Amino acid sequence: MDVARRLERAARRILEPADAFMNRLYGWRYNPIYHSGALALALLAVVLITGIYLLFFYRVGAPYESVARIEGQAWLGRWMRALHRYASDAAVAATALHLLRMFAQGRSFGPRTLAWLSGLLMLFVIFVAGWTGYVMVWDTAGLILAREGARLFDALPLFAEPIGRTFVGERALPGAFFFLNLFLHVALPVGLGLLLWVHVSRVARPNLLPPKKLMWGAIGLLFACSLFWPAPLAPPADPLQVPDRAPLDAFFAFWLPLSRALPAGVVWALGGLLVAAVALVPWWTRPAAPLKPRPSVVNQRLCTGCEQCYLDCPYEAITMEAGLERDHPVARVHPNLCVSCGICAGSCAPMGVGPPERTGRDQLAEVKALLAARRPTGRELVVIACRHAAGGLADRVPPLEVRILAAECAGSVHTSVVEYLVRAGVGGVLILSCPPRDCWHREGPKWLEQRLFHGREAELKERVDRRRVHLAYAGYAERRAALRAVEEALGKIAALEVAAGETAITLDEECEPASEPASEGVNRT
Amino acid sequence: MSAAARRLVSLFAAAAATFGVAALSRVPYPPARPEHAAIRLAWRAPGQRMEQCRRATEEELERLPVHMRREEICEQHIFPYRLELLLDDSLVLARTIRAAGAHRDRPLYVYEEIELDPGRYKVTVRFSREMPEGALRGRIEGDFPEELRLEQEADLGPRAVALVTYDPETRRLVIGGNIGQ
């Protein structure tokens, strides 16, 4: 196993138990780790709003005094400033968590490269904006950060005069310095908006805000903390005094102890290596060519132009275009945007689209072979388990009388597979999906649930006995929850009569077009 | 775990996470250690510039485009300076300060900071021109002194910084900052 896979696995070993723990506490709907990206955005919005308020009182001519005056407003200014600070800290933590999550789940290469790089750039902008924010206050902590920044930049051949001289204490700092700081502190977050647009440009229906309960809960707690434990304000910066112990923000200045202990050149070299390693994640973690996920293909002969795959694709990788020899538009997959999730396979009623060997027809063939090898007893349970979740059942078969079918994504499971299993006489089918907000492919469980129980196109037909179809959610580390779901499904099957199997089930033939051109055009861009 | 207990634990966990964010937002730095003082040497010096010119040879002129042909080729050089700091006659810093810039034709910038225990010191700073091997010989330009020297007593309390700078008006090194006389 190569280094990239090892690192991803190591990251998953941290993340999956944390996910499971949070699911137990908050349930998958409000698991803050699942919503880390959206939570970061909500917190940045808080930073923006509180920042606008603080801007009215900040003076570049008297930076420390103006912040001290804000601190003096016991009922508004003080907690606004504290909330501004704590929300920016929490936003950094949430962004870092989001980054770790995407890395651990291998969601950083191929079509996701743009999102990875723009996200990294956003984190960098947040850091620089935070840095300028601390210097703006011009307390002891601001002085330490400013001088260290100057030391590092002076090691680069960028400035005609060393900028470190600004802070030696020979003369008072000019207002222009604080104006520049303020300008950067305001202008950089404006750039964040543009980066966010790039960040989500390749996903359909981006989740920009977490669920309201989670969002207001997080903001409420930070608000309470701001009220009862306001942010500290260190003594004013005095370049002619060795800085006393200053309260530094670990989220923005965690690098400081290491940086100050090393020569500037070494800091740049180490920092450069780290940034390069993270920025190049999409290239060094992508699987080798034979293992690379293959993009979906469209069988034009089967495409009815219903647009469902186009609507369901979470990455906007499918467009509807004029097809050869067809009087309606047909789906076209753009391989450079397709992550091979297979959700389109589950969305296509005639089973005409999907990644090679994972289309609805391929799934149906696999199920037929499974049942042909061992005839269903009428009491047994077939579990279709998501490879990336479902308590790891796809990897470690449980000590229970069940048959396991692994799926890349529960959302790629075609309802015909479920119908075939039930009509062929299995006691029941349990689809064990990842929790909806944990889907590696974003929207798999959401579409699956709608297809199974709410009549979304490519729906499970009414003729299928719903008492034998079960859907449950469990993360990879939630093995107990997965086994509990299996036992519950087995219990329900036991309470039913023995399933009677049909012999002539021709689901794939039902979907064949009545009269179509003989050629089977495969549409791949 | 009952629903009520779970709710309690979830609230506690959320509060602990928020508390953690606030606590990490105020980590004391630098870590606790005995208070010390510092002496900072910081100035900008134009230095002594030497320009040496000679007539270009025919071959050199032919190699240049017509509009760039000048009969005189001049090389400029700013001399490096030797910086020494002595505290109570003990050498604590010795460094050669070279002119900034890729062509070494920018001013000399001095920026050094030495941490020391609080106390009374005899501070001696010497800043003297160096004449390296192979240096250009010719007319020296600029009125920057060949040597600067400062000798002064300084009483440095805890966390005090003594700042040594160059005063271009008096063309002398001066000491200021938090020093008792």
Side-chain angles (χ1 to χ4, degrees), chain A residues 26 85-86 161 168 240 246, chain B residues 10 25-26 29 40 109 178:
Chain A
Y26 303 104
R85 177 156 168 173
Y86 295 156
E161 281 201 23
V168 296
L240 292 176
Chain B
S10 61
S25 179
R26 60 186 81 217
Y29 187 85
R40 185 180 297 152
Y109 293 105
N178 293 317

Side-chain angles (χ1 to χ4, degrees), chain A residues 24-26 85-86 89 147 161-162 165 168 221 225 229-230 239-242 244-246 248 250-251 260, chain B residues 6 9-10 13-14 18-19 21-22 24-30 36 40 42-44 109 111 113 159 161 178:
Chain A
R24 283 193 72 190
L25 289 186
Y26 303 104
R85 177 156 168 173
Y86 295 156
D89 289 338
R147 289 180 67 181
E161 281 201 23
R165 279 176 45 78
V168 296
L221 277 167
C225 194
W229 202 18
L240 292 176
Q241 282 223 315
V242 175
D244 200 1
R245 295 180 76 187
L248 276 186
F251 293 94
R260 289 188 90 185
Chain B
R6 193 172 59 84
V9 173
S10 61
T18 313
F19 177 81
V21 166
L24 284 172
S25 179
R26 60 186 81 217
V27 180
Y29 187 85
H36 63 274
R40 185 180 297 152
W43 64 84
R44 173 187 187 275
Y109 293 105
Y111 185 76
E113 190 162 313
R159 297 180 45 227
V161 174
N178 293 317

Side-chain angles (χ1 to χ4, degrees), chain A residues 109-359:
Chain A
F109 61 88
R112 287 147 163 163
T113 302
L114 184 67
W116 178 267
L117 292 178
S118 54
L120 204 61
L121 211 51
M122 284 172 81
L123 186 58
F124 176 75
V125 169
I126 292 170
F127 263 123
V128 178
W131 192 338
T132 56
Y134 281 103
V135 174
M136 270 172 71
V137 177
W138 206 231
D139 60 355
T140 314
L143 175 65
I144 293 173
L145 278 169
R147 289 180 67 181
E148 185 56 14
R151 184 180 80 91
L152 294 179
F153 277 102
D154 282 342
L156 303 175
L158 290 178
F159 301 99
E161 281 201 23
I163 51 175
R165 279 176 45 78
T166 318
F167 311 113
V168 296
E170 205 175 350
R171 58 184 72 89
L173 276 172
F177 169 77
F178 293 103
F179 179 78
L180 179 67
N181 239 301
L182 176 65
F183 174 76
L184 286 174
H185 193 64
V186 174
L188 286 171
V190 173
L192 273 182
L194 184 69
L195 283 171
L196 174 65
W197 174 74
V198 174
H199 189 63
V200 298
S201 62
R202 287 195 169 178
V203 296
R205 301 165 290 277
N207 288 304
L208 296 179
L209 286 177
K212 281 182 186 167
K213 273 188 188 174
L214 176 63
M215 183 173 73
W216 290 116
I219 294 172
L221 277 167
L222 289 173
F223 172 75
C225 194
S226 309
L227 266 184
F228 297 112
W229 202 18
L233 179 63
D238 179 0
L240 292 176
Q241 282 223 315
V242 175
D244 200 1
R245 295 180 76 187
L248 276 186
D249 189 332
F251 293 94
F252 287 93
F254 61 90
W255 48 271
L256 199 69
L258 182 69
S259 149
R260 289 188 90 185
L262 295 172
V266 177
V267 175
W268 281 114
L270 289 177
L273 278 175
L274 181 70
V275 170
V278 180
L280 294 175
V281 157
W283 289 273
W284 62 263
T285 63
R286 66 180 170 188
L291 301 171
K292 219 171 176 178
R294 289 186 289 170
S296 290
V297 292
V298 177
N299 186 329
Q300 285 198 23
R301 190 174 65 85
L302 295 172
C303 181
T304 60
C306 72
E307 298 191 352
Q308 198 58 42
C309 57
Y310 157 75
L311 293 172
D312 284 5
C313 177
Y315 297 96
E316 295 190 332
I318 298 177
T319 51
M320 302 303 295
E321 295 178 13
L324 296 169
E325 304 173 38
R326 305 301 297 263
D327 55 0
H328 57 73
V330 293
R332 179 189 174 99
V333 176
H334 298 271
N336 57 329
L337 299 178
C338 178
V339 302
S340 192
C341 62
I343 286 177
C344 52
S347 75
C348 182
M351 299 181 271
V353 60
E357 295 164 29
R358 283 162 48 206
T359 64

Side-chain angles (χ1 to χ4, degrees), chain B residues 53-96:
Chain B
C53 300
R54 63 178 172 82
R55 291 192 69 78
T57 62
E58 290 290 323
E59 292 79 34
E60 282 173 326
L61 286 173
E62 272 176 23
R63 279 202 296 271
L64 293 170
V66 177
H67 67 284
M68 289 178 70
R69 286 177 190 168
R70 297 175 69 179
E71 291 189 350
E72 207 172 44
I73 295 176
C74 294
E75 284 181 64
Q76 285 194 346
H77 184 99
I78 291 182
F79 287 102
Y81 270 69
R82 181 76 176 164
L83 173 70
E84 288 177 341
L85 169 68
L86 295 92
L87 293 176
D88 296 334
D89 297 324
S90 308
L91 187 69
V92 291
L93 173 78
R95 187 159 296 173
T96 297

Side-chain angles (χ1 to χ4, degrees), chain A residues 378-507:
Chain A
R379 282 278 180 216
E380 72 180 320
L381 175 68
V382 174
V383 178
I384 302 175
C386 169
R387 275 185 211 284
H388 308 296
L393 292 194
D395 298 334
R396 293 168 293 153
V397 178
L400 293 164
E401 280 299 310
V402 291
R403 288 205 238 187
I404 305 283
L405 278 171
E408 169 62 27
C409 175
S412 72
V413 175
H414 200 278
T415 50
S416 293
V417 169
V418 180
E419 178 175 349
Y420 188 90
L421 286 166
V422 173
R423 286 174 62 190
V426 302
V429 178
L430 167 66
I431 305 184
L432 257 177
S433 163
C434 56
R437 287 298 303 139
D438 188 32
C439 181
W440 286 33
H441 305 302
R442 300 191 60 241
E443 294 179 319
K446 181 169 82 173
W447 295 152
L448 173 73
E449 199 254 349
Q450 292 193 15
R451 287 175 202 142
L452 288 178
F453 303 118
H454 302 292
R456 190 178 181 84
E457 179 65 21
E459 75 281 8
L460 184 64
K461 298 285 183 291
E462 282 186 15
R463 62 194 174 208
V464 180
D465 185 352
R466 293 298 196 278
R467 296 174 305 160
R468 299 188 185 278
V469 181
H470 310 280
L471 173 63
Y473 305 122
Y476 195 87
E478 294 179 293
R479 191 167 174 81
R480 277 163 66 182
L483 291 178
R484 202 164 49 241
V486 170
E487 280 165 4
E488 277 175 19
L490 282 170
K492 285 177 184 165
I493 291 170
L496 297 174
E497 69 282 4
V498 176
E502 296 175 37
T503 48
I505 312 167
T506 53
L507 293 176

Side-chain angles (χ1 to χ4, degrees), chain A residues 85-99:
Chain A
R85 177 156 168 173
Y86 295 156
S88 58
D89 289 338
V92 168
T95 309
L97 204 55
H98 184 59
L99 191 84

